[in-house]
Amino acid sequence: MSLRTDETTVPMSIRAHRHGPRDWSQIIATIDFAFQPIINSHTGRVFGYEALLRNWAEAGFDSIQDVFDIAWETGVLHSIDMQFRAIVINKFARLPDADKLKLFYNFDSRVVRTNDYRPGKTVELLAAAGLAADSICLEISERHDISHAHNFQDILLRYRAQGFKVAIDDYGSGFAQMRALYECEPDIIKIDRFFIDGMDKDRRKELFVTQITGFAHLIGAQVVAEGVETQEELMCCRRVGCDFVQGYFVARPSVILPERTDIIPGLSDILSQNRRQSDHDGELLRSFMIEAQAVPETIKPNDILDFFQQHADSTIVPVINRRGEPVGIIRDSDFKAFIYTPYGRELLQNPSNRAYLSRFLRRCPSADIRTSLSELLETFVSTDTLDGLILTENGRYLGVMDQRALLRAVNERNTLNARDENPLTRLPGNSAIYRYAANALANPRRRRFAVYFDFDNFKPFNDRYGFRQGDRAILLFKDILGKALSQNAWFIGHIGGDDFFAYVQSIDFEEAVQAVRRAQAMFDEEIKSFYDPKTRENGFLQGKGRDGIDKRFPLMTVSAALIRIPPERTDITLDHISTEAAKLKEQAKNSADRFATGIYEGADSYSPFPDMDTELSNIPPESAFSHLEN
């Protein structure tokens, strides 16, 4: 961070009383921006750069925030901010491979409340600099109450429609917190450095970051850990699931543009020595938890006796309030002991003795379903509980984990970690995919292909039929891939959610296309049975989109992006391929057959297949789908 200069060094033309006139043209000429890299916590590759204001002291301000506050107070915030954006975008465009990076720009939410606010100017600036709209990610800080702008949500939707990404900055530092998530529906959450500082030595901070990361992934957002200053903090962030990291340990902000923007020298070696832990504990907990029936706290004691008689295998019964929140448990052993006391049964059967319920109600530790297994195990040990733990989701009762179920889940988790499998599909997960790709891409082959699969209209289906049915759809596609790609030695991995990865070498292009299209066609046909008859007959699902508007969604399909990897190249990584696959997937989703393919030629060039129409026309649909299995 730049040091503030002495007031005597500030030019008189730009030094003024706080509310006095400012020579903003001189200020704009003085201001500069530094870039600080944000890297992938698994690979160490640069994901993007945050732009940080510099020379603010030389321009006569007390802080970075002071610049924007005075611009706001003097009524020029939008004009000044747009000039800042122009400086940042033009400088960012000069970075090597800028089109492959994300620019993180701090967005002052008060801009939308200015009288001269007009949308669309940022897109024009990006286009003039040769950058796509998705190159920029607007960081919205919790430090401003975004609810002041009544149309703020509409403006964010408009930004998204233009391709922009949205990040919540300084998460955990302001008052907004969950409200910010609700208002903004961010693509990225940046966790405030207070919680990252010393997290490796502070279990409470680690738990906070773990919970926020789990919640972010649940809503489809990614997480950036800010302020990482030590290797231990970096590894802890990676262990709890943070997708990206930023801080002095990675690199300090610099006004000088770097010569390379693919990796931070030396950091990749550190990260390669440590394998990322991918627990997916939530799925394991759902698999092993006991779905014990809960009773309301208004239940009569005599009805509890009937409950235990009807559920002879139950040793405890969870008790919930009217909102479905757990208030404790009742032990079967306590009840039976009371029954065998003199007049015990008579007392229970007395309708005026409802107060007797409180004598049996015992407190029980509870945890959210997203809590890590390691944390649950620590809770077991620290509370010395014999009854188990109550699992909740969004504060409501979900199920029970007793000692046996927890130990089985921990054992399964350890087994899955050893095998690097996705706990739902049992396919290789992210770490295994990265390792396999690193080895495969390091060995030149004349013919090799990577394929990324992504479900279409999965969210409306999941919203309508529930996550269990969504899991069954994912498992269906896993089985289909096993059949459709069985003729060759395909590697199949489950990236997570509804995203899959496949890789094959030493087969012809036509064979690869046929296999991929065969998998798509099989899924198109078999997924229909997952819908109710009326929806199946209509051919669409009626539901609300992310904008809250009721609309029709087609039945689920799968988009596929197939990338031909050039032969004899050993400098290509999975991150290179993933970046280009994202572009191809957009093409696939907008095409009639949900299929797109192209050639990746390294870090400096990318192109669709030459004579693509000619090549694909030689693969007739009946050939592609002739091996469909019923």
Side-chain angles (χ1 to χ4, degrees):
M1 180 177 292
S2 300
L3 296 175
R4 182 184 178 188
T5 57
D6 185 81
E7 189 179 68
T8 58
T9 66
V10 179
M12 290 299 296
S13 59
I14 61 176
R15 189 173 77 245
H17 185 269
R18 178 174 180 82
H19 298 288
R22 295 267 177 166
D23 185 351
W24 284 103
S25 61
Q26 181 66 34
I27 291 171
I28 294 297
T30 305
I31 288 296
D32 196 0
F33 282 86
F35 288 140
Q36 185 176 33
I38 298 171
I39 68 162
N40 183 302
S41 64
H42 182 76
T43 65
R45 300 195 67 83
V46 177
F47 175 69
Y49 288 86
E50 180 179 359
L52 301 167
L53 194 71
R54 290 295 180 263
N55 296 347
W56 44 267
E58 291 82 346
F61 296 94
D62 294 332
S63 65
I64 293 177
Q65 190 57 49
D66 193 39
V67 179
F68 293 93
D69 287 345
I70 293 178
W72 165 254
E73 293 165 6
T74 54
V76 296
L77 177 60
H78 182 246
S79 172
I80 297 304
D81 188 58
M82 291 309 302
Q83 293 181 70
F84 284 168
R85 293 190 199 189
I87 295 172
V88 168
I89 290 172
N90 289 329
K91 185 171 185 177
F92 180 80
R94 300 203 306 270
L95 284 169
D97 297 320
D99 60 324
K100 297 179 174 62
L101 302 168
K102 285 284 186 294
L103 168 62
F104 285 74
Y105 181 80
N106 289 278
F107 177 77
D108 193 313
S109 61
R110 295 173 295 183
V111 165
V112 301
R113 291 188 277 151
T114 58
N115 293 329
D116 60 340
Y117 173 76
R118 296 292 183 275
K121 293 184 178 180
T122 305
V123 172
E124 296 175 3
L125 291 173
L126 289 166
L131 297 172
D134 63 0
S135 297
I136 195 168
C137 181
L138 300 177
E139 293 192 23
I140 304 171
S141 176
E142 276 197 85
R143 300 180 192 277
H144 293 295
D145 185 358
I146 62 176
S147 64
H148 284 171
H150 68 280
N151 61 340
F152 192 75
Q153 201 167 4
D154 293 337
I155 292 169
L156 288 179
L157 289 173
R158 196 176 303 147
Y159 274 130
R160 282 204 176 85
Q162 298 175 74
F164 296 173
K165 299 294 184 183
V166 175
I168 292 291
D169 194 16
D170 306 316
Y171 189 83
S173 64
F175 66 89
Q177 298 189 9
M178 297 303 293
R179 180 171 184 169
L181 295 182
Y182 176 81
E183 296 284 352
C184 298
E185 297 181 350
D187 302 290
I188 293 172
I189 294 174
K190 301 187 74 176
I191 300 180
D192 187 69
R193 67 183 303 268
F194 168 81
F195 297 99
I196 305 302
D197 181 24
M199 182 177 71
D200 54 304
K201 304 180 185 68
D202 190 327
R203 291 293 296 164
R204 289 191 300 170
K205 286 186 177 182
E206 182 177 341
L207 178 59
F208 179 89
V209 175
T210 301
Q211 295 284 21
I212 295 303
T213 299
F215 180 72
H217 291 164
L218 184 67
I219 64 173
Q222 294 178 300
V223 173
V224 177
E226 295 187 294
V228 174
E229 297 190 357
T230 67
Q231 181 174 335
E232 290 74 22
E233 290 172 359
L234 170 63
M235 294 308 168
C236 191
C237 288
R238 192 171 71 165
R239 184 175 67 251
V240 302
C242 296
D243 302 285
F244 307 102
V245 293
Q246 170 184 7
Y248 284 177
F249 183 75
V250 176
R252 291 176 176 267
S254 176
V255 296
I256 301 174
L257 297 180
E259 296 181 357
R260 59 184 302 182
T261 59
D262 52 348
I263 61 170
I264 305 299
L267 200 59
S268 295
D269 294 337
I270 294 175
L271 292 170
S272 64
Q273 296 170 6
N274 297 270
R275 187 175 65 86
R276 181 175 183 172
Q277 299 291 325
S278 300
D279 293 338
H280 301 282
D281 288 350
E283 295 176 6
L284 280 175
L285 289 173
R286 291 186 191 274
S287 300
F288 288 98
M289 75 177 183
I290 303 167
E291 297 182 356
Q293 181 179 335
V295 299
E297 60 181 348
T298 56
I299 191 172
K300 298 177 181 179
N302 195 48
D303 292 335
I304 298 177
L305 177 59
D306 293 339
F307 179 90
F308 280 122
Q309 289 175 341
Q310 295 170 12
H311 301 81
D313 295 335
S314 298
T315 58
I316 62 171
V317 54
V319 182
I320 58 176
N321 61 22
R322 62 184 179 85
R323 291 183 293 269
E325 301 164 338
V327 296
I329 62 166
I330 296 176
R331 292 177 179 171
D332 177 37
S333 57
D334 293 343
F335 235 75
K336 289 179 178 178
F338 183 80
I339 290 173
Y340 295 127
T341 61
Y343 309 109
R345 186 178 293 271
E346 288 79 2
L347 288 171
L348 286 179
Q349 293 174 342
N350 188 336
S352 64
N353 283 335
R354 285 187 56 194
Y356 268 92
L357 178 64
S358 60
R359 71 177 296 167
F360 303 112
L361 190 64
R362 292 179 175 269
R363 298 187 65 182
C364 182
S366 64
D368 189 90
I369 189 70
R370 294 180 292 270
T371 305
S372 70
L373 276 170
S374 299
E375 200 67 33
L376 291 183
L377 193 59
E378 286 189 11
T379 302
F380 255 96
V381 174
S382 61
T383 59
D384 194 27
T385 178
L386 299 175
D387 302 309
L389 294 170
I390 291 178
L391 292 180
T392 61
E393 187 169 36
N394 300 322
R396 298 190 175 187
Y397 170 77
L398 194 63
V400 174
M401 290 291 288
D402 62 14
Q403 290 179 327
R404 181 179 178 184
L406 182 63
L407 290 175
R408 289 175 60 200
V410 170
N411 181 66
E412 180 72 4
R413 192 272 306 271
N414 292 337
T415 303
L416 290 177
N417 283 349
R419 295 186 307 209
D420 265 333
E421 289 180 349
N422 182 283
L424 176 61
T425 60
R426 303 298 174 91
L427 290 174
N430 282 323
S431 295
I433 292 172
Y434 268 96
R435 276 203 309 275
Y436 176 88
N439 293 330
L441 294 172
N443 298 313
R445 292 287 189 278
R446 188 170 66 86
R447 294 164 295 176
R448 46 186 179 167
F449 309 93
V451 186
Y452 284 79
F453 297 93
D454 186 16
F455 285 19
D456 308 310
N457 303 307
F458 180 72
K459 184 180 183 301
F461 176 88
N462 219 33
D463 291 344
R464 169 68 66 83
Y465 299 102
F467 75 90
R468 292 189 185 278
Q469 193 73 348
D471 284 352
R472 293 187 182 102
I474 291 172
L475 289 170
L476 168 67
F477 187 63
K478 172 244 184 179
D479 293 335
I480 286 173
L481 285 179
K483 298 174 184 177
L485 309 184
S486 61
Q487 296 179 6
N488 302 101
W490 286 80
F491 171 88
I492 303 172
H494 187 179
I495 298 172
D498 57 341
D499 293 319
F500 290 78
F501 171 85
Y503 182 96
V504 70
Q505 57 193 23
S506 302
I507 69 171
D508 293 330
F509 168 68
E510 291 79 6
E511 287 184 88
V513 171
Q514 286 178 13
V516 171
R517 288 188 167 178
R518 184 163 55 244
Q520 289 179 287
M522 292 172 68
F523 184 80
D524 290 354
E525 185 61 31
E526 296 186 30
I527 195 60
K528 293 177 183 177
S529 64
F530 282 56
Y531 291 85
D532 59 88
K534 183 178 178 181
T535 300
R536 210 160 45 236
E537 181 181 353
N538 291 337
F540 62 84
L541 184 68
Q542 195 80 23
K544 293 185 181 297
R546 294 183 183 275
D547 54 6
I549 299 175
D550 199 67
K551 60 181 67 175
R552 294 179 176 181
F553 295 94
L555 301 187
M556 249 198 301
T557 54
V558 173
S559 292
L562 186 149
I563 301 174
R564 176 185 285 177
I565 303 167
E568 310 305 324
R569 291 288 297 272
T570 59
D571 59 338
I572 300 173
T573 68
L574 187 60
D575 279 341
H576 288 137
I577 299 172
S578 299
T579 300
E580 303 305 338
K583 302 175 184 177
L584 278 178
K585 281 199 292 186
E586 282 300 313
Q587 295 179 27
K589 287 181 177 293
N590 293 322
S591 66
D593 58 359
R594 307 164 323 279
F595 179 81
T597 186
I599 300 175
Y600 180 70
E601 297 176 338
D604 300 323
S605 60
Y606 171 83
S607 63
F609 282 147
D611 301 321
M612 178 60 65
D613 293 337
T614 302
E615 287 200 53
L616 291 179
S617 65
N618 293 328
I619 309 175
E622 61 269 20
S623 172
F625 308 139
S626 60
H627 300 292
L628 272 174
E629 296 182 42
N630 296 322

